[in-house]
Amino acid sequence: MEERILAMAEFIKLSPALPWIAEQGHAGLVTACAPDRLILESPLKSFSTRLTHITVSLQNDQNFHFKGRLETEVYPFHFIISPEERQTLQELLGQIRKDQHIEICRSQDVEAEGRYTGFQELSFLPEALPLFDHSEIDTSVDFLGQRFALPILITGMTGGIQKGMEINRRLALAAQKFGIPMGVGSQRIALDNAEYAPIFSVKDTAPNVFLIGNIGIAQLADKDALDRCRRAVDMIDANALAIHFNVVQEHIQVEGDRNLAGIMKNLEMICKTLNVPVIAKEVGSGISPSSAKMLAECGIAAIDIGGAGGTSWAHIEGLRSSSDIVSQLGLTFRNWGIPTAYSLVAVREALKDFPLIATGGIRDGLTAAKACALGAQFAGIGLPLLKAALQNEEAVEQAIEGFERGLRLTMLASGAKTLADLKSKIVRGRPYQSTFERLIPSHH
Ligand SMILES: Cc1cc2nc3c(=O)[nH]c(=O)nc-3n(C[C@H](O)[C@H](O)[C@H](O)COP(=O)(O)O)c2cc1C
């Protein structure tokens, strides 16, 4: 009884449902999955035979064969997967999860409520006089030993099984065209099953792109952590490897990884041994100054502070789940985390000359300029570029061009010839607000 209640809290609803067929010929739909079972609907409300083998087909005609036990006394039926086949179920769940994430991001509001990043508190001081020509503006930035044309970075996003390859190809072409770095999403599925490696291998399409691999911190718990990192790098000929942290998501997500014991030691060993720089990356909760210092001591080469205010993974997991508990957790933690600008300022103070990327809710070139003014080498962009990549190549180029135009205009209109010049042009509140408040008394 208790086990069933626990399981009820952990179902992922499937929309569309997946077709299943049993070896005896019965067929129906899988409407939900849990880490140990599938929920089966069938036109037949009872079975005389106990099913032991079923085949479930994923949308793109991939078939998964399961051995298990059918509980026939409840309808819809519970098909309990045998322990030896849980790995297959994990793989099916992983694939469904990625495609669901994409669909939810495309069609629903997945951002923190009110999208508060902290950048809203800041303004640049406008300069009316044309102090230089717009052609003199220099937007270039140095990062991990290379020079890039713009301080914009395409942050790592999984594109799912069905659309992943095309999404990554479109993003990579744009990254190469604009001379900016690009991250891929978590390579875990391809590390577990080499068949999926082509989803991430974009260097055939864009050989010159600075490519950042991606793996979750939970993946570093095992003894083969270094091997996994090396394989992730080799798989895509990566120039750097991002290790992402997402405690909140992993604990809300039904199939989350929760084993984080002993990980910091492994992280240090990997930073020392891997042949490319390692980037520590949050995905929406922000990095605290103390965590940043620990990461720097571990040998991390750069930090993506991944602050709150943009895409909210707690919220996405809540939207994806059919359980009231998980949906409620998703809502409760929708705005969890350090707003991007706050985390950036705090980490910059803790680590004076450390390479930083600011991701989380940056939606235009003016805000990207604010991130640079606060000391980030790059503004990382996620959701807007994912949505563009779901359309076509041109949409991605247009989106990045929009960021570039906004950034250049900010620099021109505030008299900042270089990104470094932006630092002296930013203020809290509105331009000259403090002068105004000082000179005009609020009461007599
Ligand atoms: C569909 C989608 C998939 C993502 N997958 C990953 C991932 O696999 N690994 C990772 O480190 N971050 C992932 N992210 C997080 C982004 O890199 C980024 O931190 C987050 O979306 C915040 O930026 P934004 O507000 O501009 O979207 C993903 C984001 C989206 C929208």
Side-chain angles (χ1 to χ4, degrees):
M1 181 67 182
E2 201 180 16
E3 186 190 302
R4 173 154 306 156
I5 291 170
L6 186 70
M8 291 305 286
E10 300 222 319
F11 281 127
I12 296 173
K13 60 182 172 236
L14 299 185
S15 174
L18 304 179
W20 63 267
I21 181 159
E23 56 181 1
Q24 295 89 342
H26 308 302
L29 292 172
V30 185
T31 55
C33 303
D36 67 341
R37 68 191 67 198
L38 302 170
I39 299 300
L40 305 187
E41 283 187 359
S42 163
L44 293 174
K45 295 282 188 300
S46 70
F47 286 103
S48 49
T49 52
R50 280 177 84 78
L51 300 179
T52 53
H53 283 88
I54 63 166
T55 301
V56 176
S57 300
L58 198 60
Q59 291 92 320
N60 56 354
D61 296 333
Q62 278 178 290
N63 294 324
F64 292 83
H65 307 286
F66 295 107
K67 183 155 72 73
R69 171 169 58 84
L70 188 72
E71 283 190 355
T72 49
E73 61 276 16
V74 281
Y75 188 83
F77 305 117
H78 285 227
F79 189 81
I80 319 283
I81 310 286
S82 74
E84 310 86 68
E85 308 232 325
R86 298 267 158 88
Q87 183 58 37
T88 314
L89 180 59
Q90 281 301 316
E91 194 169 311
L92 175 67
L93 285 171
Q95 300 199 32
I96 292 168
R97 175 176 69 208
K98 297 284 162 21
D99 289 332
Q100 285 183 330
H101 284 157
I102 300 299
E103 184 48 29
I104 291 172
C105 286
R106 193 189 62 76
S107 59
Q108 301 193 46
D109 176 6
V110 295
E111 295 178 271
E113 211 173 1
R115 296 196 205 148
Y116 185 76
T117 56
F119 288 115
Q120 292 90 339
E121 311 286 336
L122 305 167
S123 310
F124 285 102
L125 298 172
E127 211 54 79
L129 301 182
L131 301 175
F132 48 81
D133 186 66
H134 70 90
S135 62
E136 292 175 70
I137 290 175
D138 178 6
T139 57
S140 68
V141 60
D142 292 324
F143 181 72
L144 302 180
Q146 295 216 23
R147 174 152 292 198
F148 298 89
L150 281 175
I152 303 288
L153 175 145
I154 303 177
T155 189
M157 292 176 283
T158 34
I161 305 299
Q162 294 184 306
K163 299 185 179 135
M165 198 184 310
E166 191 52 25
I167 288 175
N168 282 336
R169 195 185 70 82
R170 290 172 181 170
L171 294 174
L173 283 172
Q176 180 164 269
K177 179 168 177 190
F178 285 87
I180 60 177
M182 163 185 168
V184 295
S186 172
Q187 293 168 256
R188 179 181 183 169
I189 46 165
L191 289 171
D192 291 341
N193 183 346
E195 250 176 60
Y196 299 119
I199 294 176
F200 302 93
S201 307
V202 294
K203 284 220 174 163
D204 297 343
T205 313
N208 301 327
V209 74
F210 184 96
L211 197 59
I212 305 171
N214 192 296
I215 186 169
I217 184 74
Q219 297 282 291
L220 303 193
D222 299 334
K223 286 213 165 53
D224 67 345
L226 179 61
D227 177 57
R228 287 179 85 78
C229 292
R230 283 189 172 136
R231 288 197 290 124
V233 169
D234 292 345
M235 182 194 303
I236 60 169
D237 187 19
N239 302 82
L241 179 68
I243 296 184
H244 70 256
F245 295 78
N246 53 356
V247 173
V248 174
Q249 183 192 7
E250 295 287 4
H251 281 75
I252 292 183
Q253 183 174 292
V254 174
E255 335 79 310
D257 277 316
R258 291 161 201 182
N259 175 17
L260 298 181
I263 269 183
M264 293 310 281
K265 262 177 66 190
N266 270 358
L267 184 60
E268 191 169 350
M269 179 270 293
I270 285 159
C271 290
K272 287 196 176 119
T273 323
L274 204 64
N275 61 347
V276 296
V278 178
I279 301 172
K281 175 179 186 301
E282 237 299 339
V283 300
S285 298
I287 298 268
S288 69
S290 53
S291 293
K293 280 187 177 154
M294 277 171 67
L295 289 167
E297 279 160 19
C298 262
I300 287 285
I303 296 176
D304 182 338
I305 55 112
T311 303
S312 166
W313 280 98
H315 186 40
I316 292 175
E317 292 302 342
L319 290 170
R320 201 168 67 89
S321 169
S322 57
S323 121
D324 289 346
I325 298 176
V326 176
S327 304
Q328 189 53 50
L329 271 175
L331 283 179
T332 308
F333 285 85
R334 181 172 179 180
N335 296 339
W336 174 265
I338 315 171
T340 304
Y342 295 7
S343 177
L344 175 58
V345 168
V347 171
R348 175 50 77 220
E349 197 208 12
L351 300 175
K352 293 280 181 274
D353 296 311
F354 201 80
L356 296 181
I357 302 161
T359 305
I362 297 183
R363 300 290 175 256
D364 52 59
L366 171 57
T367 310
K370 289 180 183 176
C372 295
L374 298 185
Q377 270 67 35
F378 282 103
I381 318 293
L383 193 61
L385 297 182
L386 175 85
K387 287 185 173 168
L390 284 167
Q391 293 174 41
N392 50 43
E393 265 163 58
E394 293 73 39
V396 182
E397 286 183 16
Q398 273 179 22
I400 298 175
E401 194 183 327
F403 278 97
E404 177 174 12
R405 296 271 301 264
L407 169 73
R408 284 182 172 276
L409 185 53
T410 307
M411 293 173 77
L412 185 71
S414 61
K417 219 189 239 185
T418 66
L419 296 172
D421 293 342
L422 283 171
K423 292 184 180 143
S424 61
K425 311 285 181 186
I426 199 160
V427 289
R428 257 181 68 193
R430 299 183 179 199
Y432 293 96
Q433 184 176 347
S434 58
T435 313
F436 180 81
E437 284 167 0
R438 178 165 51 83
L439 296 178
I440 310 290
S442 57
H443 55 80
H444 290 281

